[in-house]
Amino acid sequence: MGFDAQQQRKILGAFATGVTVASTRIGDETWGMTANGITSLSLDPPLVLLAVQKDAASHGKFREGGCFALNILTAQQQELSDRFAFKGPKDFSGLDYTTAETGAPVLADSLGWVDCRVTEVLDGGDHDIFIGEILAGETGSGEPLLYFNGKYARLIP
Ligand SMILES: Cc1cc2nc3c(=O)[nH]c(=O)nc-3n(C[C@H](O)[C@H](O)[C@H](O)COP(=O)(O)O)c2cc1C
């Protein structure tokens, strides 16, 4: 047995992150998954990475879609984080969104978004690492939604 999983969760949970909804499109189907396992990877070429659990339904969707948008959530968008963290079909009803160049949904009023084409999928243990080349993106404004020690948190100014 390797290092204790609970202990790993506890230690790395202290690394506060923002929260995104990673979205994709498979034909007529829109899909989203709450994700904080993201990183801005390279500026030249412009790359980001998204870690996706191998046994999640989302994994097949990102593979099939071949693209993803990362929508960075504001503190006011916590409901979206909850909505896209549930297992099963992802419900976009009632949401204000546009369609990016790749076809991935871009959620309105986020802190910013990037639209990416998947260029590589690398093995990362029980996750796969989706490398995305950024084709488009925009900044937004607002207060970030944070995730810290397994709970949502806010930035204290
Ligand atoms: C704050 C937060 C961050 C998450 N980050 C990730 C992530 O980076 N990668 C991942 O695979 N799952 C992540 N999850 C879990 C997925 O959102 C969840 O397992 C997925 O939506 C389940 O749906 P599915 O089984 O239908 O794919 C996160 C959940 C939360 C609440």
Side-chain angles (χ1 to χ4, degrees):
M1 264 306 272
F3 193 74
D4 181 70
Q6 283 301 100
Q7 185 69 348
Q8 182 178 347
R9 268 178 202 269
K10 205 166 158 191
I11 297 167
L12 275 306
F15 187 62
T17 66
V19 182
T20 72
V21 170
S23 59
T24 191
R25 174 180 299 275
I26 313 96
D28 289 341
E29 187 188 14
T30 47
W31 190 268
M33 181 193 84
T34 301
N36 64 352
I38 69 127
T39 296
S40 176
L41 178 64
S42 162
L43 294 177
D44 185 17
L47 302 176
V48 293
L49 72 78
L50 165 67
V52 184
Q53 211 179 315
K54 282 180 183 168
D55 63 8
S58 299
H59 186 275
K61 301 294 180 184
F62 288 114
R63 253 204 187 281
E64 216 185 313
C67 64
F68 61 85
L70 295 177
N71 300 274
I72 304 170
L73 301 184
T74 68
Q76 285 67 42
Q77 292 176 313
Q78 188 176 316
E79 185 274 322
L80 295 182
S81 175
D82 290 335
R83 185 191 287 220
F84 291 107
F86 276 109
K87 280 196 176 299
K90 305 298 192 279
D91 180 16
F92 278 76
S93 62
L95 293 187
D96 189 6
Y97 68 89
T98 54
T99 302
E101 195 172 318
T102 60
V106 169
L107 301 171
D109 304 322
S110 75
L111 267 185
W113 58 272
V114 285
D115 178 35
C116 307
R117 175 177 75 87
V118 174
T119 56
E120 261 187 286
V121 182
L122 307 174
D123 183 65
D126 57 13
H127 283 56
D128 266 342
I129 301 159
F130 285 69
I131 309 284
E133 180 194 1
I134 303 174
L135 303 182
E138 265 173 31
T139 56
S141 62
E143 189 201 333
L145 178 63
L146 303 182
Y147 202 67
F148 173 62
N149 280 344
K151 293 194 190 103
Y152 294 118
R154 303 281 286 263
L155 199 63
I156 300 167

